[in-house]
Short mmCIF file of all heavy atoms in Angstrom, two decimals:
data_model
loop_
_atom_site.label_atom_id
_atom_site.label_comp_id
_atom_site.label_asym_id
_atom_site.label_seq_id
_atom_site.Cartn_x
_atom_site.Cartn_y
_atom_site.Cartn_z
N VAL A 220 81.36 125.15 108.27
CA VAL A 220 81.10 125.44 106.85
C VAL A 220 81.04 124.13 106.07
O VAL A 220 82.01 123.37 106.05
CB VAL A 220 82.19 126.36 106.27
CG1 VAL A 220 81.88 126.68 104.81
CG2 VAL A 220 82.29 127.64 107.09
N ALA A 221 79.94 123.90 105.40
CA ALA A 221 79.73 122.64 104.67
C ALA A 221 80.37 122.71 103.29
O ALA A 221 79.69 122.92 102.27
CB ALA A 221 78.25 122.33 104.57
N ASN A 222 81.70 122.57 103.25
CA ASN A 222 82.43 122.47 101.99
C ASN A 222 83.63 121.57 102.23
O ASN A 222 83.76 120.97 103.30
CB ASN A 222 82.84 123.85 101.46
CG ASN A 222 83.75 124.59 102.43
OD1 ASN A 222 84.41 123.99 103.29
ND2 ASN A 222 83.80 125.91 102.30
N THR A 223 84.51 121.44 101.25
CA THR A 223 85.67 120.55 101.42
C THR A 223 86.98 121.32 101.55
O THR A 223 88.05 120.77 101.29
CB THR A 223 85.77 119.55 100.26
OG1 THR A 223 85.84 120.26 99.02
CG2 THR A 223 84.58 118.60 100.24
N ALA A 224 86.91 122.58 101.94
CA ALA A 224 88.12 123.38 102.12
C ALA A 224 88.95 122.85 103.29
O ALA A 224 88.41 122.34 104.27
CB ALA A 224 87.76 124.84 102.35
N GLY A 225 90.27 122.99 103.17
CA GLY A 225 91.18 122.57 104.23
C GLY A 225 91.78 123.73 104.99
O GLY A 225 92.55 123.52 105.93
N GLY A 226 91.44 124.96 104.59
CA GLY A 226 91.95 126.13 105.29
C GLY A 226 93.46 126.15 105.38
O GLY A 226 94.17 125.82 104.43
N GLN A 227 93.95 126.53 106.55
CA GLN A 227 95.40 126.61 106.76
C GLN A 227 96.05 125.24 106.89
O GLN A 227 97.28 125.14 106.92
CB GLN A 227 95.71 127.43 108.03
CG GLN A 227 95.30 126.78 109.34
CD GLN A 227 93.89 127.14 109.79
OE1 GLN A 227 93.00 127.30 108.96
NE2 GLN A 227 93.71 127.29 111.10
N TYR A 228 95.25 124.20 106.93
CA TYR A 228 95.80 122.87 107.16
C TYR A 228 96.15 122.12 105.88
O TYR A 228 97.00 121.23 105.89
CB TYR A 228 94.81 122.03 107.98
CG TYR A 228 94.42 122.68 109.27
CD1 TYR A 228 93.10 123.04 109.52
CD2 TYR A 228 95.37 122.95 110.25
CE1 TYR A 228 92.73 123.66 110.71
CE2 TYR A 228 95.01 123.57 111.45
CZ TYR A 228 93.69 123.91 111.67
OH TYR A 228 93.34 124.51 112.84
N CYS A 229 95.49 122.46 104.78
CA CYS A 229 95.73 121.72 103.54
C CYS A 229 95.45 122.60 102.33
O CYS A 229 94.33 123.12 102.18
CB CYS A 229 94.84 120.47 103.48
SG CYS A 229 95.29 119.33 102.16
N ALA A 230 96.46 122.78 101.50
CA ALA A 230 96.32 123.62 100.30
C ALA A 230 95.31 123.02 99.33
O ALA A 230 95.12 121.80 99.27
CB ALA A 230 97.68 123.77 99.62
N ASP A 231 94.67 123.87 98.55
CA ASP A 231 93.68 123.41 97.57
C ASP A 231 94.29 122.51 96.51
O ASP A 231 93.59 121.74 95.85
CB ASP A 231 93.02 124.62 96.90
CG ASP A 231 92.14 125.41 97.85
OD1 ASP A 231 91.77 124.87 98.91
OD2 ASP A 231 91.84 126.59 97.54
N THR A 232 95.61 122.63 96.31
CA THR A 232 96.28 121.83 95.28
C THR A 232 96.51 120.38 95.71
O THR A 232 96.89 119.55 94.89
CB THR A 232 97.63 122.46 94.92
OG1 THR A 232 98.39 122.67 96.13
CG2 THR A 232 97.43 123.79 94.22
N ALA A 233 96.29 120.07 96.99
CA ALA A 233 96.45 118.69 97.47
C ALA A 233 95.08 118.01 97.49
O ALA A 233 94.10 118.57 97.97
CB ALA A 233 97.06 118.69 98.87
N TYR A 234 95.03 116.83 96.92
CA TYR A 234 93.79 116.05 96.85
C TYR A 234 92.65 116.88 96.24
O TYR A 234 91.59 117.06 96.85
CB TYR A 234 93.42 115.52 98.25
CG TYR A 234 94.52 114.68 98.85
CD1 TYR A 234 95.40 115.21 99.77
CD2 TYR A 234 94.70 113.36 98.43
CE1 TYR A 234 96.45 114.46 100.28
CE2 TYR A 234 95.74 112.60 98.93
CZ TYR A 234 96.62 113.15 99.86
OH TYR A 234 97.66 112.39 100.36
N PRO A 235 92.85 117.37 95.01
CA PRO A 235 91.87 118.29 94.41
C PRO A 235 90.80 117.62 93.57
O PRO A 235 89.82 118.26 93.19
CB PRO A 235 92.76 119.16 93.52
CG PRO A 235 93.82 118.21 93.04
CD PRO A 235 94.07 117.26 94.18
N ASN A 236 90.97 116.34 93.25
CA ASN A 236 90.15 115.71 92.22
C ASN A 236 89.05 114.83 92.84
O ASN A 236 89.12 113.61 92.79
CB ASN A 236 91.05 114.87 91.29
CG ASN A 236 90.28 114.34 90.10
OD1 ASN A 236 89.34 114.97 89.63
ND2 ASN A 236 90.67 113.17 89.62
N HIS A 237 88.05 115.45 93.44
CA HIS A 237 86.95 114.71 94.09
C HIS A 237 87.51 113.70 95.09
O HIS A 237 87.17 112.52 95.08
CB HIS A 237 86.08 114.01 93.05
CG HIS A 237 85.58 114.92 91.97
ND1 HIS A 237 84.64 115.91 92.18
CD2 HIS A 237 85.93 115.00 90.66
CE1 HIS A 237 84.42 116.56 91.05
NE2 HIS A 237 85.19 116.05 90.11
N GLN A 238 88.39 114.20 95.97
CA GLN A 238 89.11 113.33 96.90
C GLN A 238 88.99 113.78 98.35
O GLN A 238 89.77 113.35 99.19
CB GLN A 238 90.60 113.29 96.52
CG GLN A 238 90.90 112.69 95.16
CD GLN A 238 92.35 112.89 94.78
OE1 GLN A 238 92.76 113.93 94.27
NE2 GLN A 238 93.16 111.88 95.06
N ARG A 239 87.98 114.62 98.65
CA ARG A 239 87.93 115.20 99.98
C ARG A 239 86.59 115.00 100.68
O ARG A 239 85.53 114.99 100.05
CB ARG A 239 88.22 116.70 99.93
CG ARG A 239 89.65 117.06 99.60
CD ARG A 239 89.87 118.53 99.85
NE ARG A 239 91.23 118.95 99.57
CZ ARG A 239 91.75 120.08 100.02
NH1 ARG A 239 91.04 120.89 100.79
NH2 ARG A 239 93.00 120.41 99.73
N LEU A 240 86.69 114.86 101.99
CA LEU A 240 85.55 114.91 102.90
C LEU A 240 85.90 115.91 103.99
O LEU A 240 87.07 116.04 104.37
CB LEU A 240 85.26 113.55 103.54
CG LEU A 240 85.11 112.32 102.63
CD1 LEU A 240 86.46 111.71 102.29
CD2 LEU A 240 84.23 111.27 103.30
N HIS A 241 84.92 116.61 104.50
CA HIS A 241 85.17 117.62 105.53
C HIS A 241 84.17 117.42 106.66
O HIS A 241 82.96 117.54 106.46
CB HIS A 241 85.03 119.02 104.93
CG HIS A 241 85.17 120.13 105.94
ND1 HIS A 241 84.72 121.41 105.68
CD2 HIS A 241 85.71 120.17 107.18
CE1 HIS A 241 84.97 122.18 106.73
NE2 HIS A 241 85.57 121.45 107.65
N GLN A 242 84.68 117.09 107.83
CA GLN A 242 83.84 117.03 109.03
C GLN A 242 83.82 118.46 109.59
O GLN A 242 84.77 118.91 110.20
CB GLN A 242 84.41 116.05 110.03
CG GLN A 242 83.50 115.81 111.23
CD GLN A 242 84.12 114.84 112.21
OE1 GLN A 242 84.83 115.27 113.12
NE2 GLN A 242 83.91 113.55 112.03
N TYR A 243 82.72 119.16 109.35
CA TYR A 243 82.68 120.58 109.64
C TYR A 243 82.02 120.91 110.98
O TYR A 243 82.06 122.06 111.44
CB TYR A 243 81.99 121.34 108.51
CG TYR A 243 80.55 120.97 108.25
CD1 TYR A 243 79.51 121.63 108.89
CD2 TYR A 243 80.24 119.96 107.33
CE1 TYR A 243 78.18 121.30 108.63
CE2 TYR A 243 78.93 119.62 107.07
CZ TYR A 243 77.90 120.29 107.73
OH TYR A 243 76.59 119.95 107.48
N SER A 244 81.42 119.93 111.63
CA SER A 244 80.81 120.14 112.94
C SER A 244 80.70 118.78 113.63
O SER A 244 80.54 117.75 112.97
CB SER A 244 79.41 120.76 112.79
OG SER A 244 78.83 121.02 114.06
N GLY A 245 80.81 118.78 114.97
CA GLY A 245 80.80 117.50 115.66
C GLY A 245 80.11 117.51 117.00
O GLY A 245 79.87 118.58 117.59
N ASP A 246 79.77 116.30 117.48
CA ASP A 246 79.11 116.11 118.77
C ASP A 246 77.84 116.94 118.87
O ASP A 246 77.60 117.65 119.87
CB ASP A 246 80.07 116.47 119.91
CG ASP A 246 81.20 115.46 120.06
OD1 ASP A 246 81.07 114.35 119.51
OD2 ASP A 246 82.21 115.79 120.72
N VAL A 247 77.02 116.85 117.83
CA VAL A 247 75.75 117.57 117.82
C VAL A 247 74.61 116.55 117.82
O VAL A 247 74.76 115.42 117.36
CB VAL A 247 75.63 118.49 116.60
CG1 VAL A 247 76.71 119.57 116.64
CG2 VAL A 247 75.73 117.71 115.29
N THR A 248 73.47 116.95 118.33
CA THR A 248 72.30 116.08 118.37
C THR A 248 71.24 116.65 117.43
O THR A 248 70.90 117.83 117.51
CB THR A 248 71.74 115.99 119.80
OG1 THR A 248 72.74 115.44 120.66
CG2 THR A 248 70.51 115.08 119.84
N GLU A 249 70.75 115.80 116.53
CA GLU A 249 69.74 116.22 115.57
C GLU A 249 68.57 115.24 115.59
O GLU A 249 68.74 114.04 115.87
CB GLU A 249 70.32 116.29 114.16
CG GLU A 249 71.39 117.35 113.98
CD GLU A 249 71.80 117.52 112.52
OE1 GLU A 249 71.09 117.02 111.63
OE2 GLU A 249 72.84 118.17 112.27
N THR A 250 67.39 115.76 115.29
CA THR A 250 66.18 114.94 115.21
C THR A 250 65.55 115.10 113.84
O THR A 250 65.27 116.23 113.41
CB THR A 250 65.18 115.35 116.30
OG1 THR A 250 65.78 115.22 117.59
CG2 THR A 250 63.93 114.46 116.23
N TRP A 251 65.35 113.98 113.17
CA TRP A 251 64.71 113.96 111.86
C TRP A 251 63.72 112.80 111.84
O TRP A 251 64.06 111.69 112.25
CB TRP A 251 65.73 113.80 110.73
CG TRP A 251 66.71 114.94 110.65
CD1 TRP A 251 67.96 114.98 111.16
CD2 TRP A 251 66.48 116.20 110.04
NE1 TRP A 251 68.56 116.19 110.92
CE2 TRP A 251 67.67 116.98 110.22
CE3 TRP A 251 65.41 116.78 109.36
CZ2 TRP A 251 67.79 118.27 109.74
CZ3 TRP A 251 65.55 118.08 108.88
CH2 TRP A 251 66.72 118.81 109.07
N GLY A 252 62.51 113.08 111.37
CA GLY A 252 61.49 112.03 111.31
C GLY A 252 61.16 111.45 112.68
O GLY A 252 60.78 110.28 112.78
N GLY A 253 61.33 112.27 113.71
CA GLY A 253 61.03 111.81 115.06
C GLY A 253 62.13 111.00 115.70
O GLY A 253 61.97 110.50 116.82
#
Side-chain angles (χ1 to χ4, degrees):
V220 182
N222 60 22
T223 57
Q227 68 269 35
Y228 304 117
C229 191
D231 292 342
T232 53
Y234 302 99
N236 187 31
H237 307 291
Q238 296 171 277
R239 289 191 179 198
L240 308 84
H241 176 198
Q242 187 181 90
Y243 61 91
S244 182
D246 290 343
V247 297
T248 299
E249 295 188 14
T250 302
W251 298 98

